[in-house]
Amino acid sequence: MAVFTDVASLIPTLGERLGEGASLVEATAVMVGMSDADVVAVLRQASEVSRLADQIRVVAAGVVADRSTRQTGHSGLAQSQGHRSPASFVQEVTGSTKGEASRDVRVGQALLDGQRDAGDAGAGSDAGSGADAGAGAEGGADAGAGADAGAGANGRPEVPVVWHAPLNAALAAGTLTTAQYDAIRRGLGDRPLRAACPMTSVSRSVPRSIGRGVRRGRRRLCS
């Protein structure tokens, strides 16, 4: 999903419906005179913009937390702004509650973990390809054995996948809200990588409307 492309396509559409440059009072007057179908369309489009902006906000909160660790000391991003914790800084910037800011930080860090994991997987895949090519060039048994060491079923190195990767995908697809994502992830806690499918308990414990996406993610993670 191209987040910025989607936002960029929705803003002009809303502008056309409500009048570009219109104040809230003016936009309200326009919506009062709209047909039912147009009001519903505005509601849907505004909700989608909000959802996509939420995703951007939580990732930014995660980056703030990454740059505000204990190791960074007073030079950390949040600390340099006079805050003891990243959640406190996020709360001030966004105007949210303490609980909402803390949730944004948790979800943002989890999404960053997934992003880093995906990068490691790509690097592992490239390393596997290089090892295979090296083994072919050498043509020796020792080279072949070295390439296979630590390799997965496809002959490439096994790269661990964070257990909540399916949740990340569900959040990006809009199947889960930030609050639902956080509730599920906190309810399960930290799980070992590729254990006896932690997503099984997720799919059984969430409402059916949410669970479909999680169950699809479980199949991808645990197959």
Side-chain angles (χ1 to χ4, degrees):
M1 177 182 293
V3 174
F4 288 108
T5 300
D6 292 340
V7 172
S9 66
L10 287 167
I11 295 298
T13 304
L14 282 170
E16 290 173 5
R17 292 182 184 278
L18 302 176
E20 293 190 21
S23 66
L24 179 59
V25 172
E26 293 167 336
T28 300
V30 171
M31 284 187 280
V32 168
M34 282 181 173
S35 66
D36 291 352
D38 284 340
V39 170
V40 171
V42 168
L43 180 62
R44 285 177 175 163
Q45 290 164 359
S47 298
E48 183 66 5
V49 169
S50 178
R51 183 183 70 79
L52 295 171
D54 282 348
Q55 292 182 0
I56 296 171
R57 187 192 68 249
V58 297
V59 171
V63 173
V64 167
D66 261 11
R67 298 181 182 181
S68 308
T69 61
R70 290 183 179 179
Q71 288 75 16
T72 60
H74 294 295
S75 63
L77 197 162
Q79 294 88 335
S80 66
Q81 300 297 317
H83 291 267
R84 296 183 62 183
S85 70
S88 173
F89 178 59
V90 170
Q91 180 183 2
E92 180 185 89
V93 172
T94 62
S96 59
T97 66
K98 182 178 180 179
E100 290 168 342
S102 297
R103 182 186 67 204
D104 283 353
V105 167
R106 286 192 300 270
V107 174
Q109 288 182 302
L111 292 175
L112 290 177
D113 286 344
Q115 185 77 11
R116 282 188 284 261
D117 181 75
D120 290 343
S125 177
D126 292 341
S129 298
D132 291 343
E138 292 292 337
D142 291 342
D148 290 339
N154 61 358
R156 294 183 177 179
E158 279 284 345
V159 179
V161 177
V162 291
W163 71 263
H164 53 83
L167 291 180
N168 294 1
L171 180 66
T175 307
L176 294 176
T177 65
T178 301
Q180 290 165 342
Y181 176 106
D182 188 51
I184 294 170
R185 188 172 184 276
R186 293 185 76 194
L188 289 175
D190 292 330
R191 300 284 165 156
L193 300 177
R194 296 193 182 279
C197 199
M199 297 309 294
T200 300
S201 55
V202 175
S203 61
R204 292 175 180 171
S205 62
V206 298
R208 181 176 300 176
S209 59
I210 304 171
R212 284 195 211 96
V214 180
R215 281 189 286 272
R216 286 196 295 270
R218 182 193 68 190
R219 286 195 292 271
R220 289 198 297 272
L221 178 64
C222 306
S223 58

